[in-house]
Amino acid sequence: MNTFTLITALITISALISYINNRFIKLPGTIGVIVVSLLLSLLITLTGKIFPDVFAFLKDVANGIDFTGTLLDIMLGFLLFASALHFDFNKLRKQRYPVLVLSTVGVVGSTFIFGFLLYWATELMRIDLPLVYCLLFGALISPTDPVAVLSILKKSKVPPALETIIGGESLLNDGTGILLFVILKEVAGQTNTHVSISYAVTLFSHEVFGGILLGITSAIVAYRTMKRVDDFQIIVMVSLSMVMVISVVGAMLHVSIPLAAVSAGLILGNTSLGTKHAADIQRYFLTVWSLIDELLNTILFVMIGLQIVLMPFLKNYWFTGLVATIFVLVARGLSIAVPSIILRRSLRVNYGSITILVWAGLRGGISVALALSLPESPYKETILSASYFVVLFSIIVQGLTLKKVVDRMV
């Protein structure tokens, strides 16, 4: 299947699934899309012998997509830039302490709590999963997914301050998550790289600060270009080019593409564009990027749903997936509660807010993509399958019930 045919099939399937959800099922946008695509994949998989051609076609589509590369190297930059464009920087600055604590201490704490809990459970059930792989699983599943979180928050009635904390954390916890994931993957693979504190600090600085610097530099260049023209088409093209350049240059320099996209989005989203009629240009500009955001979100969640066709081994790891889902919630709860109690004067987060923060910490395509990027080992299928369980529970169950949790706790 050539590239154009693959893109055509993916967009057509996405349009069909969106239509079915909107016309008949009527679930909230992204949740409905992943539910319908998941049901479609399961149906086709179960009836593969009856409709072998349909099953083969869907499998070809799913096989033809490099999920990890497509999401992390291409789509993620666009999705995070679009999300950050609509983020109020002043609100984020007011909530900077809880956001920074959750995106650093919270991720590290959740990774190790989850890892040790999972190791204890697998030892108890005599499942072969070494501690380093349990911690590696914790590193890829602990950071909340900004794409999933922000798409669900749009439809929920979370208090503004909490919405800023949840959204800000999901946008900024990428640096910590990548640092832990890369280091633990090297330890698990027993590479020759000497993993030390100095190496970890260097890697963190390079990934995080390099990404932020790339985003700021790109945004300044794009902003100065946009301010010199009134042509709306040119402004949109400059912004598209900027996000693409961030993805290409970020990959070349090995800096954080997500943080670069977020930095650029926060800058351009909180400035005026064009030399005349700035308000109109800004409104049209944000409308175009909202459309891009919605389209890519739909395609991403369809891609997640279609991955089930390639995961016939899910049935072999249902226990690990169930345990992992429970432990993710426990680890997130503890990683939020402990800093909140210790720093209660500065964080000002009450127990009702902690419950909302735990339940709103959704996982999505990034966790699946990182799991797929793991090197081949006897433990990869276990981690990948369990990641899929956590992601599906997170988006479908937590996403659908978030409003009820908010209503009860506020």
Side-chain angles (χ1 to χ4, degrees):
M1 189 178 292
N2 61 47
T3 303
F4 182 73
T5 304
L6 181 63
I7 294 173
T8 302
L10 186 58
I11 292 177
T12 303
I13 293 171
S14 300
L16 176 62
I17 288 173
S18 299
Y19 173 79
I20 292 172
N21 177 58
N22 183 270
R23 184 71 176 81
F24 302 106
I25 300 179
K26 301 185 185 300
L27 286 173
T30 50
I31 299 175
V33 166
I34 197 169
V35 168
V36 176
S37 57
L38 180 64
L39 291 175
L40 177 63
S41 297
L42 287 172
L43 179 64
I44 296 300
T45 301
L46 293 173
T47 60
K49 294 181 180 179
I50 302 174
F51 305 105
D53 292 339
V54 179
F55 176 74
F57 174 73
L58 275 186
K59 194 168 184 179
D60 284 345
V61 172
N63 266 321
I65 301 169
D66 176 8
F67 188 89
T68 301
T70 302
L71 175 56
L72 297 182
D73 297 336
I74 301 174
M75 294 179 68
L76 193 57
F78 287 94
L79 288 165
L80 292 183
F81 176 76
S83 298
L85 274 178
H86 297 85
F87 221 85
D88 191 324
F89 184 76
N90 290 326
K91 291 181 180 179
L92 182 61
R93 186 173 57 183
K94 290 179 182 178
Q95 302 295 338
R96 61 187 179 276
Y97 294 120
V99 168
L100 287 174
V101 169
L102 288 176
S103 60
T104 53
V105 177
V107 173
V108 174
S110 178
T111 296
F112 283 91
I113 292 170
F114 174 88
F116 282 108
L117 283 174
L118 185 63
Y119 181 68
W120 167 78
T122 52
E123 282 282 293
L124 193 65
M125 298 303 296
R126 301 193 178 185
I127 297 172
D128 183 23
L129 193 62
L131 177 59
V132 66
Y133 278 92
C134 293
L135 294 173
L136 184 60
F137 187 7
L140 69 88
I141 208 70
S142 289
T144 56
D145 189 309
V147 179
V149 169
L150 295 173
S151 63
I152 300 299
L153 281 181
K154 293 175 185 177
K155 312 296 182 182
S156 305
K157 296 182 179 179
V158 177
L162 270 182
E163 184 177 355
T164 301
I165 293 172
I166 296 167
E169 177 208 357
S170 69
L171 286 171
L172 299 177
N173 61 17
D174 170 73
T176 309
I178 286 179
L179 170 66
L180 288 173
F181 182 78
V182 170
I183 292 176
L184 289 169
K185 188 166 70 168
E186 291 180 352
V187 173
Q190 297 181 347
T191 62
N192 295 324
T193 304
H194 178 59
V195 180
S196 62
I197 295 177
S198 61
Y199 170 75
V201 171
T202 302
L203 179 64
F204 179 85
S205 302
H206 183 76
E207 284 275 356
V208 175
F209 297 112
I212 293 173
L213 180 61
L214 174 61
I216 292 173
T217 304
S218 302
I220 290 174
V221 173
Y223 173 74
R224 289 184 175 178
T225 304
M226 294 173 179
K227 286 297 286 185
R228 298 175 185 274
V229 296
D230 284 323
D231 191 314
F232 174 65
Q233 177 181 336
I234 295 175
I235 289 176
V236 172
M237 289 177 65
V238 169
S239 66
L240 289 170
S241 171
M242 182 200 68
V243 176
M244 292 177 181
V245 168
I246 283 175
S247 297
V248 173
V249 175
M252 291 172 58
L253 299 178
H254 302 289
V255 299
S256 175
I257 296 172
L259 285 179
V262 168
S263 302
L266 286 173
I267 292 173
L268 294 183
N270 289 272
T271 54
S272 59
L273 306 175
T275 59
K276 300 176 183 177
H277 311 296
D280 290 338
I281 290 177
Q282 191 82 8
R283 185 172 63 254
Y284 296 145
F285 178 75
L286 292 177
T287 301
V288 168
W289 273 100
S290 293
L291 177 61
I292 293 173
D293 186 28
E294 292 294 332
L295 289 174
L296 291 181
N297 261 305
T298 300
I299 293 171
L300 171 59
F301 283 99
V302 168
M303 287 167 57
I304 294 174
L306 290 178
Q307 287 295 307
I308 195 72
V309 177
L310 302 179
M311 296 187 183
F313 48 81
L314 280 173
K315 62 183 180 182
N316 301 323
Y317 302 107
W318 64 269
F319 176 77
T320 311
L322 180 62
V323 169
T325 301
I326 296 171
F327 286 167
V328 162
L329 294 174
V330 173
R332 179 163 173 82
L334 291 174
S335 67
I336 293 174
V338 173
S340 297
I341 293 171
I342 296 174
L343 304 172
R344 57 184 178 276
R345 290 184 179 180
S346 57
L347 295 184
R348 299 174 184 176
V349 178
N350 58 43
Y351 294 107
S353 298
I354 290 174
T355 303
I356 296 173
L357 285 168
V358 171
W359 205 246
L362 308 182
R363 277 74 184 177
I366 295 177
S367 295
V368 176
L370 291 176
L372 284 167
S373 73
L374 290 171
E376 293 301 324
S377 74
Y379 317 109
K380 180 175 180 178
E381 284 194 356
T382 306
I383 294 174
L384 180 56
S385 299
S387 298
Y388 215 74
F389 269 91
V390 174
V391 168
L392 293 179
F393 177 87
S394 172
I395 296 174
I396 297 172
V397 178
Q398 290 177 237
L400 284 175
T401 57
L402 180 59
K403 184 179 182 300
K404 292 183 180 179
V405 173
V406 172
D407 291 341
R408 185 177 292 268
M409 293 297 162
V410 174

